[in-house]
Amino acid sequence: MLFLLFHIGGDRYVIDARKVLEVVPLVKLNNFSSAPDYIAGLCNYRGAPVPSIDMRYLIENVSSQPFMSTRILIVKYNAGGEGLDHLLGVIAENAIETIVLEESGFRQAAIQSSEQNYVSKIMTDARGIIQWIAVDQLVSSRDRDILYGSEVEMGE
Amino acid sequence: MNNSIENCWATIGVWSKGVEKCPKLKEVLHCRNCDVYSSAGRSLLKRKIPEDYRDYWTALLAKEGVIKSHDTLSIVVFRLGDEWLGLPAKTIKEISEMRPVHGIPNSKSNVVKGLVNVRGELKLWVSMGTLLSVDKGERYVFSELRKSFLERLVIISKDNEHYVFPVSEIIGTHRIWKDSIREVPATAANSMYSHLAGLFKLEERHVGLLDQDLLFSSLQRSLV
């Protein structure tokens, strides 16, 4: 399976490459004032506003550095159930590599937090731990309505 | 990750002028295969984004994506004298080196030049140049040696009809967007233009796309 690899601090994280639509440079974001802190802002992606999560902020409470290697991964986010894919930006530091890993090598993460369990599975190799970020779990159900609204509201 | 880049490839690697050699070279053969070199290259991305680069991409990403039609045609492009022509790849059965042609006695057709042996089968050798009235060509003048080096035989077939014709040069199969094919100007009246389905541009060349149905029926008529 192909994964996109990025680093936060010294730790390695991967995202399923099939979830990634496009990797774009760290463009300027528009402020999204009512959003939770880990949302860095709205990215204008081909005319559509895409809420973008700062992964470093989510994990370390520090904003990502504006480096060339910091990129926005435009991913397909699906909260499950209603079937519609939303677009979500994932700001990831050191997103410069893809990596092929065996899906069977991953184990369930032992510690599951109840609120946001986006690290669903982990793998260990010679260099340490790789954590698999489940894109669909990145936004808590509480915040989902703030970012995307409920479909009914949008239509009215 | 360390920030200082040690340029070992220039001191002990393949770009070094001295006799000192990196022990890893035995294994990786060239520095570009070495992980030290590639990680040094990647660390170049670990620098601040220039503001204008960021502005440029912000504007670029905000633009609506251009949706192109995904309809393409595979076309084999060849040169006949002065003209660049193309035929859909599916009509081309084979491209081979030049072979000797055997004349047919008492043949009245000026398009049919004779018979040619292709893998033990005798096929009709026709002259596309005569059929389409394309000049032998003054625009591409090569030495005899170069000319014979470029010339090829093209074997086309449709519904069990086969023809063989020589071309001056082949530049391979190209995938062309269907919507990049322009119509043939209505004022163009010579035999070549009346056999074209369209025109397209390939790099600097203007290529005429032959209408295969028309071509085969013209070839058939030329036999009698």
Side-chain angles (χ1 to χ4, degrees):
Chain A
M1 230 177 122
L2 187 69
F3 290 90
L4 217 132
L5 180 72
F6 61 95
H7 301 254
I8 289 162
D11 295 335
R12 288 177 296 161
Y13 296 86
V14 291
I15 279 182
D16 182 353
R18 284 174 300 186
K19 291 292 258 178
V20 181
L21 272 185
E22 196 174 343
V23 179
V24 299
L26 185 64
V27 297
K28 284 184 177 154
L29 303 174
N30 298 310
N31 260 333
F32 189 3
S33 52
S34 59
D37 289 345
Y38 62 88
I39 300 290
L42 288 173
C43 158
N44 184 345
Y45 179 66
R46 316 235 184 270
V50 175
S52 299
I53 290 186
D54 189 333
M55 283 309 289
R56 187 162 181 205
Y57 195 91
L58 192 65
I59 290 164
E60 286 191 337
N61 258 331
V62 187
S63 295
S64 291
Q65 289 167 284
F67 282 164
M68 295 289 279
S69 54
T70 304
R71 280 156 178 168
I72 304 179
L73 324 177
I74 306 289
V75 300
K76 285 178 274 184
Y77 167 78
N78 192 323
E82 63 266 63
L84 256 175
D85 276 347
H86 293 291
L87 291 182
L88 181 70
V90 175
I91 300 170
E93 285 191 327
N94 252 306
I96 49 180
E97 275 178 272
T98 54
I99 184 170
V100 175
L101 297 169
E102 283 298 324
E103 196 178 355
S104 57
F106 282 95
R107 282 174 303 180
Q108 284 295 327
I111 311 154
Q112 298 272 358
S113 88
S114 54
E115 185 56 24
Q116 280 169 311
N117 49 355
Y118 48 82
V119 177
S120 56
K121 290 172 180 166
I122 57 169
M123 173 191 262
T124 47
D125 68 1
R127 282 173 58 199
I129 293 175
I130 300 174
Q131 303 181 56
W132 183 348
I133 302 280
V135 168
D136 295 334
Q137 306 296 325
L138 274 173
V139 182
S140 69
S141 52
R142 189 165 43 90
D143 296 333
R144 197 177 309 143
D145 289 346
I146 301 173
L147 298 186
Y148 298 110
S150 61
E151 250 100 64
V152 186
E153 269 179 27
M154 300 280 279
E156 298 285 288
Chain B
M1 213 174 275
N2 77 40
N3 283 324
S4 63
I5 299 170
E6 201 191 322
N7 58 342
C8 59
W9 52 88
T11 55
I12 54 169
V14 294
W15 288 284
S16 68
K17 299 245 158 49
V19 284
E20 245 180 316
K21 283 288 173 233
C22 177
K24 284 185 92 171
L25 271 177
K26 267 207 175 107
E27 191 190 318
V28 298
L29 297 173
H30 194 285
C31 287
R32 63 171 174 248
N33 301 325
C34 176
D35 54 348
V36 177
Y37 183 65
S38 59
S39 72
R42 285 195 176 127
S43 70
L44 290 176
L45 291 169
K46 222 182 160 190
R47 63 194 152 97
K48 267 209 140 72
I49 302 186
E51 223 25 50
D52 51 348
Y53 177 83
R54 223 175 154 177
D55 288 337
Y56 171 77
W57 271 98
T58 306
L60 197 70
L61 196 66
K63 270 193 213 151
E64 297 247 1
V66 184
I67 300 159
K68 278 198 167 172
S69 90
H70 292 284
D71 260 358
T72 56
L73 264 181
S74 277
I75 295 170
V76 172
V77 178
F78 55 87
R79 180 168 64 80
L80 208 63
D82 278 346
E83 302 292 343
W84 287 99
L85 295 165
L87 261 174
K90 59 174 192 258
T91 40
I92 300 211
K93 204 177 157 219
E94 195 179 331
I95 289 161
S96 80
E97 74 280 12
M98 286 305 258
R99 281 163 215 227
V101 58
H102 306 285
I104 307 174
N106 300 325
S107 164
K108 290 191 184 68
S109 164
N110 53 358
V111 171
V112 178
K113 299 290 180 205
L115 292 166
V116 60
N117 179 354
V118 181
R119 296 178 202 287
E121 281 180 55
L122 285 178
K123 302 234 156 78
L124 278 179
W125 172 303
V126 292
S127 166
M128 263 317 157
T130 311
L131 183 76
L132 304 176
S133 46
V134 174
D135 290 337
K136 269 267 184 274
E138 303 291 306
R139 216 181 313 166
Y140 300 88
V141 182
F142 298 122
S143 66
E144 279 304 309
L145 184 71
R146 173 102 195 269
K147 230 172 100 183
S148 62
F149 184 71
L150 293 172
E151 282 176 348
R152 292 287 184 280
L153 273 187
V154 177
I155 300 146
I156 52 173
S157 76
K158 182 178 161 259
D159 306 329
N160 248 343
E161 260 179 74
H162 310 280
Y163 300 98
V164 179
F165 62 92
V167 297
S168 317
E169 186 178 352
I170 283 198
I171 52 165
T173 311
H174 293 264
R175 196 173 287 181
I176 308 291
W177 297 107
K178 268 189 184 160
D179 47 15
S180 72
I181 298 172
R182 288 174 293 117
E183 276 187 34
V184 184
T187 47
N190 87 26
S191 169
M192 185 191 87
Y193 281 100
S194 61
H195 280 86
L196 293 186
L199 290 163
F200 62 91
K201 218 175 161 190
L202 185 73
E203 286 143 26
E204 288 310 302
R205 306 176 181 98
H206 292 275
V207 183
L209 175 62
L210 288 166
D211 184 324
Q212 44 172 326
D213 296 330
L214 217 56
L215 185 70
F216 274 90
S217 67
S218 288
L219 282 168
Q220 212 168 29
R221 261 182 283 124
S222 71
L223 297 183
V224 277

